[in-house]
Amino acid sequence: MDYNKVVLAYSGGLDTSVILRWLIDKGYDVIAYIADVGQHDDFDQIAEKARACGASKVYVSDLKEEFLTDYVYEAIAANAVYENVYLLGTAVARPIIAKEHVRIAREEGAGVLCHGATGKGNDQARFELAYMTLMPEAEILSPWKDPEWLAEFKGRKDMIAYAEKCEIPIPVSLRKPFSIDENLLHTSYEAGVLEDPGRPYDKDMFKKGTHPFDAPDEPDLIRIHFKGGAPVKVEDIEAGTSVEGPLALFDHLNELGLKHGVGIVDMVENRLMGMKSRGVYVTPGGTILFNAHRDLESLTLDKEVQHYKEWMSIEIGRLIYNGLWFSPEFDFLMQSVRHSQKAVNGHVDLAIYKGAAHVIGRHSDSSRYDNGIASMDEHGGYDQTDAKGFIRIFGLRLKAGSKK
Ligand code: ARG
């Protein structure tokens, strides 16, 4: 393995462009790696730019479908959520980006993995913890935690000066007053003007879609079919049309969600490093799927399994957020999530309307809903007088406790 050869996760932005050239100036052979997780970028142009900056080789990896089936749908199967509202759009993408990074390093015999995440955020931990599991022998280079780099680049100005000196084209996105991260599952907006948590975001900030204030007055009615906890088909109930296949299905849900302004969250979150941070996240298709999937579980899971899953979803959300996708504890919890999902088959009907994905009905051939019992019909196997003894025994300790 060559420790003079580095694979750099490259985005085409100013930071990673300067990092690329800086690595070359330090004597490294640099391979640029661009992950396509559904961000709307011009990948040919980014690859060209990496070459122009001096990369000896460029990889553009299309990870979209695997991202959906092996990461997004897994997180949704777990109902994973962070601090009640964040559906982990960025956090879920990091492990697959890191996994491909490692695959390329092995293929190239490169011993060094480099990323451009800052020393303040969660992404650095997500990348590096994944590298540590998947390629423990690799050396990790993180310029934003490197004293040499930090001495040279104290701010944007130094980087722009360096870029100009090396004739690195400076991207126009630099002018945006906040930082954006985009993939199939979500778009995040952070930093800059959003750093004041009391200041409402400007709805023109969104790269695409409609804000709920401007959403159509007519709902879209859809039916999502699930098999083993994963979506397999989306039907438009009124038009009678349907969409299948992971990418087409998710694109369709994203389109619908964006049309109606579904899945916007404005939150203050606790980062792994301890600081609080304000973020605005747009997760259109993911929010629709999340609601539908959780609803189908209410029909198909055993009560106690469902309740165990409730607290597991918080734990799994924390693990994903904290960069522990590739960890023994994540594997351990996901094994039981996967086991539970064998029962999650059927469909859910939703009305997508003014910023929300309302569930309006559900059906499953393996439903646990027993109409006979629910309607308290004696012939259905439920004798109301049984409840008397049950409650007497259930409340025994309450009586005993209050005698004192
Ligand atoms: N705060 C969110 C998270 O930690 C979003 C991070 C966005 N990352 C970025 N590099 N802009 O998951």
Side-chain angles (χ1 to χ4, degrees):
M1 193 179 307
D2 186 349
Y3 285 93
N4 210 37
K5 208 170 180 185
V6 46
V7 181
L8 164 70
Y10 183 71
S11 72
L14 177 69
D15 291 27
T16 51
S17 297
V18 173
I19 290 172
L20 203 170
R21 180 60 65 100
W22 183 76
L23 290 170
I24 291 170
D25 289 350
K26 281 173 73 84
Y28 284 105
D29 174 7
V30 184
I31 296 160
Y33 149 55
I34 303 150
D36 174 4
V37 282
Q39 69 276 38
H40 288 90
D41 276 339
D42 182 339
F43 295 106
D44 290 341
Q45 204 186 323
I46 295 173
E48 201 36 62
K49 196 168 164 190
R51 277 183 214 102
C53 289
S56 64
K57 198 165 173 185
V58 180
Y59 281 80
V60 179
S61 305
D62 179 354
L63 307 176
K64 292 196 288 290
E65 186 155 334
E66 191 187 339
F67 174 47
L68 287 177
T69 55
D70 295 5
Y71 294 81
V72 174
Y73 293 172
E74 290 276 280
I76 285 176
N79 302 321
V81 61
Y82 186 66
E83 295 185 342
N84 289 314
V85 284
Y86 176 36
L87 293 186
L88 299 157
T90 295
V92 169
R94 296 318 189 196
I96 187 175
I97 294 172
K99 189 174 166 216
E100 173 69 1
H101 199 162
V102 164
R103 190 196 66 75
I104 292 169
R106 289 200 194 286
E107 189 172 299
E108 292 289 336
V112 188
L113 302 168
C114 181
H115 68 78
T118 71
K120 279 188 166 181
N122 301 309
D123 292 328
Q124 52 170 341
R126 295 169 183 155
F127 287 136
E128 292 175 30
L129 294 170
Y131 302 153
M132 287 165 80
T133 298
L134 303 175
M135 195 172 175
E137 70 277 27
E139 196 182 293
I140 298 168
L141 230 164
S142 165
W144 286 113
K145 292 195 284 289
D146 182 312
E148 240 180 88
W149 166 276
L150 289 169
E152 198 169 343
F153 301 101
K154 297 210 170 54
R156 289 249 126 161
K157 258 179 44 201
D158 298 329
M159 276 198 288
I160 292 173
Y162 190 93
E164 277 164 356
K165 197 176 75 193
C166 303
E167 290 172 10
I168 296 170
I170 297 164
V172 268
S173 60
L174 253 192
R175 282 188 235 110
K176 289 216 181 78
F178 35 74
S179 136
I180 296 179
D181 178 56
E182 187 190 17
N183 62 46
L184 275 175
L185 181 56
H186 92 162
T187 309
S188 75
Y189 303 83
E190 281 179 323
V193 293
L194 296 168
E195 268 166 18
D196 172 2
R199 177 179 161 160
Y201 64 81
D202 175 359
K203 65 186 170 76
D204 297 329
M205 159 181 89
F206 298 124
K207 278 181 82 175
K208 49 189 189 247
T210 318
H211 192 270
F213 295 169
D214 312 314
D217 292 326
E218 284 302 311
D220 271 294
L221 303 180
I222 59 166
R223 172 168 291 178
I224 306 181
H225 296 258
F226 287 88
K227 208 171 161 201
V232 289
K233 185 159 97 171
V234 176
E235 279 177 81
D236 183 316
I237 293 175
E238 279 157 328
T241 52
S242 67
V243 185
E244 287 175 65
L247 262 180
L249 184 154
F250 204 77
D251 277 345
H252 184 62
L253 290 180
N254 267 339
E255 232 172 78
L256 274 174
L258 286 170
K259 173 177 164 194
H260 293 277
V262 175
I264 300 173
V265 163
D266 179 343
M267 76 183 291
V268 172
E269 76 203 50
N270 290 290
R271 284 193 188 163
L272 175 62
M273 300 297 155
M275 69 281 261
K276 290 190 186 287
S277 141
R278 194 266 191 103
V280 180
Y281 306 128
V282 187
T283 317
T287 302
I288 299 174
L289 260 188
F290 186 90
N291 289 0
H293 170 267
R294 198 175 45 187
D295 185 86
L296 190 58
E297 286 194 331
S298 71
L299 193 66
T300 53
L301 290 187
D302 168 73
K303 172 185 175 182
E304 296 303 325
V305 170
Q306 193 186 333
H307 288 187
Y308 271 107
K309 277 199 88 237
E310 259 169 43
W311 63 255
M312 279 172 63
S313 72
I314 298 171
E315 222 26 72
I316 292 171
R318 277 159 54 94
L319 294 180
I320 297 174
Y321 187 87
N322 291 339
L324 292 163
W325 186 283
F326 299 114
S327 70
E329 62 273 34
F330 183 77
D331 280 350
F332 172 70
L333 293 175
M334 286 308 291
Q335 283 289 340
S336 66
V337 166
R338 277 177 213 123
H339 179 79
S340 71
Q341 297 303 292
K342 287 179 197 148
V344 186
N345 306 304
H347 66 245
V348 178
D349 293 343
L350 302 108
I352 315 299
Y353 184 63
K354 300 232 187 256
H358 301 278
V359 173
I360 53 173
R362 73 285 285 156
H363 169 84
S364 172
D365 288 340
S366 50
S367 167
R368 286 176 175 266
Y369 193 97
D370 187 327
N371 218 12
I373 294 179
S375 69
M376 294 190 199
D377 175 358
E378 251 185 67
H379 306 296
Y382 189 97
D383 179 352
Q384 293 194 57
T385 62
D386 285 347
K388 205 168 155 186
F390 168 74
I391 294 169
R392 204 161 44 217
I393 291 170
F394 192 60
L396 197 65
R397 67 185 174 91
L398 300 177
K399 269 182 129 178
S402 56
K403 266 192 198 135
K404 290 185 191 107

